[in-house]
Amino acid sequence: MSASDLFATLEAGGARYSAHTFDYSIDLNAILERLSPMARMFFVFGNEEKGKNLAVEQIYLPRWVEDHDLLRQFRRLTDDEKLEVLCLFTAPIHESRHHFDMMLTPFGTRFYFTLAQEYLDFQLFSPFLLQHQDTIQPGPLVELAERLGNFGKAIPDQWKTRWDAASRQILAFGACTDFRGIHPTVKSVVRDAKATPRFLGMEMEMVTVNGLATSFSPKARPDWYMRASTLLEGRAVIASLAWIIWNLEGYEELAPLLCRYVSTLYPPDENYDYRFLLDIAAAWMGCASIEDAFQKLDFATIRNILFMVDSAAWFGLHAGPKLKDGQPVHENLFFRFIYALQEMEIAYDHGYGGSPLELLAKIEDLERAKAFNILPFDSAIGNSLTFLQKASHDTLPRIWQTEIRDHFQTIFNQLGKALATRRQEGYVTPMAAAYHGNLLLYVAEPYRFLLKPYSPKAWVKDWFEFRNESFFTADSVSRKRRRLAGQFGLAEAVISCECGTMIAAAIPKWRARHTVVCGHCRKVHELRAGDMSWIRVPDDDED
């Protein structure tokens, strides 16, 4: 098994996180079941005296370099077994970093606020999809209008507003914001050669994706642009590396071990989201790559630089919501990240010697920050709490499917509780960018509720599978009809028209009034929910 396959297996089995379904759990027993015998023996050797009910944070103490017997056991492992052990211990750190980033920042609020609105927009458009299964061709949902146009058809005017709202949400969200959902749906990327911010010798170029989302692309890598996953995955990788360095600092084979860990799990020719922050750190240290830095520099310097880049990403994730012309808009998290890097570079070049986390409050108060309309911390958190409350009162009650509504309400409640605590702390908190990497060692009592496992219900899992597939294929119409019916409360009604035609119509149960047009005489039937009898929920008797 390759190291990347091993890491994926560990995540799937014991250290699991899915942002959409909020499926977060760390099961040490499940992780151990997937290890090789020697890796399992190493874990048992280090933890057998800590009791049966082992909390996850207990496995990280003491540091291995402070336990001579444990370090001796580690030395006896083969190179592959050492890598496996590091994967075992960093998988919970990696996934926990994601979970806490999503629950402690304005970005997390934006993510779930938008995800709930996307669901509602799709719900409002869903009757059209059910009523026109015979004309919908296989292909991604975001290409629906184009595919209909290829057959000389179009989305009717009465549905166009609903479709525009749904497709805009999908394209904007998927381009730069979505995280561990689907591969970004990119219809267009327009580069702006005049907007080229620089930092640490790197030149970036502003890009507009799908005509809706703004990001930045390194000039040296024009085939790639920053997404939310760039900051989130980069922070999770940095957290893992910082823990390994803290845990094994002074171990004679640390440099080659770190090189192998990074190059195996996060090779430069694969998903660049995992490596971009490492490349920034390497550039800050004057190195060609992070592997080059491991080989040439002392680890105190490396930890400091990783801490700085991590803190800049933390600043980026505090891009908050605000109102513009009465409509909610969000700060650009990538611009905030780049701004933080620029100001950090200036500060440290001019002799600043403090913590990068403590610097964040200072740089957001600069005149340059005000000129760029960067939201201060308190405004970003306060506005996020206001938006959560608004979504709970306005958006969630309109969602028909109870399990979906309860899912988002649970997340909103936890976000509200966590952000209210964060508001008292500011940027500086061990939950932000712990110098030792492992935030599991610093989860204070007010945040312990976030460690509680959450298992999404059946219709939640079904929706996100359905959403991520985004297909209506000709050979699975019945399955799609049944899923639409269960998600959005669609049912079939039969109406007898005056022309003698019997009309079968797909009706959404969540709407109080219904308009049905006879295909024969074009008579418009205006109906209320109490005026008809439901025949059946579509496909409720199908397998």
Side-chain angles (χ1 to χ4, degrees):
M1 180 184 292
S2 70
S4 56
D5 289 340
L6 168 65
F7 205 51
T9 301
L10 291 172
E11 290 176 354
R16 183 175 62 251
Y17 178 69
S18 168
H20 297 81
T21 61
F22 205 54
D23 188 359
Y24 169 71
S25 66
I26 298 175
D27 186 339
L28 294 176
N29 289 327
I31 294 176
L32 289 173
E33 288 176 0
R34 288 164 169 79
L35 296 180
S36 67
M38 290 303 295
R40 191 180 304 121
M41 284 179 61
F42 176 82
F43 180 89
V44 172
F45 183 85
N47 294 283
E48 60 185 347
E49 297 180 358
K50 296 177 182 177
K52 291 184 178 180
N53 298 319
L54 187 65
V56 65
E57 61 267 26
Q58 291 178 272
I59 70 174
Y60 298 102
L61 294 173
R63 297 165 68 197
W64 300 353
V65 291
E66 296 172 352
D67 186 330
H68 300 300
D69 292 334
L70 188 60
L71 187 60
R72 184 168 56 251
Q73 293 296 323
F74 184 73
R75 284 194 177 99
R76 291 173 177 172
L77 299 175
T78 66
D79 287 345
D80 286 345
E81 289 164 350
K82 288 174 182 174
L83 189 59
E84 184 181 2
V85 165
L86 290 183
C87 288
L88 156 66
F89 281 86
T90 55
I93 294 173
H94 189 111
E95 301 308 318
S96 297
R97 178 71 276 167
H98 289 326
H99 179 54
F100 279 90
D101 275 351
M102 297 298 287
M103 298 308 295
L104 297 174
T105 65
F107 171 78
T109 302
R110 172 186 181 179
F111 181 89
Y112 289 111
F113 176 87
T114 307
L115 210 56
Q117 185 62 51
E118 179 193 75
Y119 182 91
L120 178 59
D121 287 337
F122 196 90
Q123 171 186 295
L124 297 175
F125 183 68
S126 58
F128 173 83
L129 298 175
L130 186 59
Q131 292 167 11
H132 297 84
Q133 286 284 325
D134 56 332
T135 63
I136 295 174
Q137 302 299 312
L141 181 63
V142 291
E143 298 174 0
L144 175 63
E146 292 92 328
R147 293 202 310 278
L148 289 176
N150 292 337
F151 291 90
K153 300 179 181 294
I155 297 173
D157 290 342
Q158 65 266 34
W159 289 106
K160 193 171 186 308
T161 299
R162 298 297 188 197
W163 166 247
D164 288 347
S167 62
R168 182 181 178 87
Q169 284 283 4
I170 294 169
L171 286 172
F173 188 69
C176 292
T177 307
D178 204 359
F179 174 60
R180 291 191 170 182
I182 55 175
H183 187 75
T185 300
V186 180
K187 288 193 170 185
S188 66
V189 178
V190 179
R191 311 182 76 86
D192 184 352
K194 297 179 180 179
T196 55
R198 299 168 184 263
F199 57 89
L200 302 169
M202 290 186 175
E203 187 172 11
M204 306 290 285
E205 199 168 58
M206 190 169 76
V207 297
T208 302
V209 186
N210 296 337
L212 299 167
T214 300
S215 183
F216 295 87
S217 170
K219 273 204 166 183
R221 192 154 184 158
D223 60 333
W224 177 88
Y225 63 87
M226 295 179 68
R227 304 172 178 89
S229 56
T230 306
L231 301 187
L232 294 165
E233 295 293 3
R235 276 172 55 78
V237 173
I238 288 176
S240 297
L241 293 176
W243 173 78
I244 295 172
I245 294 171
W246 171 77
N247 185 55
L248 286 171
E249 194 163 12
Y251 172 58
E252 63 276 6
E253 295 297 322
L254 179 55
L257 187 64
L258 284 168
C259 288
R260 186 157 188 251
Y261 179 88
V262 171
S263 61
T264 304
L265 294 179
Y266 313 113
D269 57 347
E270 292 190 7
N271 190 340
Y272 193 49
D273 286 334
Y274 289 87
R275 289 210 47 132
F276 183 55
L277 266 60
L278 300 184
D279 281 357
I280 292 174
W284 208 329
M285 293 181 279
C287 296
S289 67
I290 195 67
E291 291 93 338
D292 186 36
F294 291 150
Q295 296 285 2
K296 293 180 178 179
L297 302 180
D298 65 276
F299 285 104
T301 298
I302 294 171
R303 286 171 66 189
N304 285 335
I305 297 299
L306 289 174
F307 190 24
M308 293 175 192
V309 176
D310 200 7
S311 298
W314 177 244
F315 187 82
L317 292 176
H318 283 74
K322 48 189 173 182
L323 288 176
K324 182 179 181 180
D325 300 326
Q327 297 298 316
V329 295
H330 297 269
E331 280 189 291
N332 188 284
L333 66 160
F334 313 118
F335 183 82
R336 281 181 65 107
F337 171 63
I338 291 172
Y339 169 81
L341 286 173
Q342 291 173 331
E343 293 299 334
M344 281 185 179
E345 185 180 11
I346 293 170
Y348 283 102
D349 283 349
H350 285 76
Y352 176 77
S355 164
L357 285 178
E358 294 176 356
L359 185 59
L360 300 182
K362 295 180 174 67
I363 65 175
E364 76 172 14
D365 198 39
L366 297 174
E367 288 302 318
R368 184 166 174 254
K370 296 173 184 176
F372 287 138
N373 294 315
I374 287 178
L375 274 179
F377 172 84
D378 190 68
S379 297
I381 297 294
N383 290 357
S384 296
L385 290 169
T386 299
F387 271 60
L388 281 174
Q389 186 178 37
K390 177 178 173 57
S392 293
H393 291 165
D394 298 344
T395 303
L396 298 191
R398 299 170 64 193
I399 292 177
W400 182 84
Q401 172 52 250
T402 304
E403 290 185 2
I404 296 288
R405 187 171 64 245
D406 291 346
H407 172 73
F408 283 116
Q409 189 64 70
T410 297
I411 296 172
F412 287 1
N413 289 344
Q414 291 201 22
L415 270 167
K417 184 177 179 180
L419 290 177
T421 302
R422 281 282 335 278
R423 198 172 191 178
Q424 308 304 314
E425 295 179 325
Y427 290 112
V428 183
T429 166
M431 307 299 291
Y435 181 64
H436 300 323
N438 188 356
L439 78 165
L440 291 169
L441 296 173
Y442 303 98
V443 183
E445 187 57 38
Y447 296 117
R448 300 294 297 182
F449 71 95
L450 294 174
L451 293 174
K452 184 178 180 181
Y454 175 85
S455 296
K457 293 185 178 179
W459 280 114
V460 175
K461 293 179 180 178
D462 180 87
W463 161 247
F464 287 111
E465 290 173 1
F466 178 85
R467 171 192 182 271
N468 294 346
E469 292 166 2
S470 293
F471 280 82
F472 293 93
T473 56
D475 61 354
S476 61
V477 168
S478 64
R479 183 168 65 93
K480 300 298 185 186
R481 284 164 57 88
R482 183 173 66 254
R483 294 171 79 172
L484 283 168
Q487 284 290 347
F488 304 115
L490 302 175
E492 289 182 1
V494 175
I495 303 164
S496 177
C497 186
E498 295 173 0
C499 70
T501 301
M502 298 298 290
I503 307 169
I507 303 295
K509 289 185 176 181
W510 40 265
R511 192 190 298 164
R513 300 175 64 89
H514 309 281
T515 300
V516 179
V517 181
C518 176
H520 182 259
C521 70
R522 310 308 297 171
K523 177 178 175 59
V524 177
H525 297 262
E526 296 286 350
L527 305 171
R528 295 179 181 272
D531 294 339
M532 66 189 76
S533 299
W534 303 109
I535 303 301
R536 65 185 178 91
V537 173
D539 310 310
D540 61 357
D541 57 351
E542 298 177 12
D543 295 331

